[in-house]
Amino acid sequence: MASDKYDVLGPLYSEIGGELAKIVGGDPDGVYLYAEAGEGWVGPSVFKDEGAVVRYFDDSMLLCDLIMEAWETQEPDKRWAVMEYTVTGTSFDVKFKYPEEIDPAETEMERRPAALKARYGDKPVVYPPEPPGMMEFKGNAG
């Protein structure tokens, strides 16, 4: 049974790499995917090291579907909380953190910048501009 799981996961991880290549416009060398997943949700973030900067790329529905499929392939008690997928040249490496390895008091919005800092140090991360008409809502203190 274990080999059956890897027969499914190997091609899925390759498909994730193919989709990452499409997302970044062709050459996936230097891509870093940070993704968190749980029952019924996935939160991927795609980055590419461009030398002087790290660039963020919007994910795709296909990428989300592939990550979720890989997550669901695992036995429920062996499902990861964080996937870190890196591409170097033509090879990829996938590492996982499991629920017991992350601080439940932290949010994804806190863990992702920490992962970027650990990977890239103080290298600037370039995000696309916010779309026109985007509004920021702040909580009401009163």
Side-chain angles (χ1 to χ4, degrees), residues 62-123:
L62 178 56
L63 179 64
C64 292
D65 290 346
L66 291 168
I67 294 168
M68 197 80 248
E69 188 176 345
W71 185 83
E72 289 173 343
T73 298
Q74 302 295 329
E75 298 296 322
D77 62 336
K78 297 195 182 345
R79 289 181 175 156
W80 46 268
V82 175
M83 170 196 279
E84 293 181 280
Y85 184 114
T86 57
V87 180
T88 305
T90 58
S91 300
F92 67 87
D93 183 50
V94 185
K95 290 186 168 68
F96 303 100
K97 289 185 183 171
Y98 294 87
E100 63 275 7
E101 296 176 293
I102 63 171
D103 182 348
E106 286 184 333
T107 67
E108 175 185 0
M109 298 307 286
E110 294 167 309
R111 286 188 292 269
R112 181 180 55 191
L116 285 172
K117 178 110 175 129
R119 181 165 182 76
Y120 298 112
D122 290 327
K123 192 179 280 196

Side-chain angles (χ1 to χ4, degrees), residues 1-51:
M1 166 132 171
S3 66
D4 291 342
K5 180 172 71 171
Y6 295 111
D7 289 343
V8 171
L9 284 172
L12 263 174
Y13 294 147
S14 291
E15 283 186 69
I16 288 170
E19 183 60 14
L20 288 169
K22 287 179 191 168
I23 288 170
V24 301
D27 180 10
D29 185 28
V31 167
Y32 171 64
L33 166 67
Y34 178 90
E36 293 197 17
E39 193 62 50
W41 67 274
V42 63
S45 298
V46 179
F47 301 91
K48 184 171 184 187
D49 189 340
E50 295 183 345

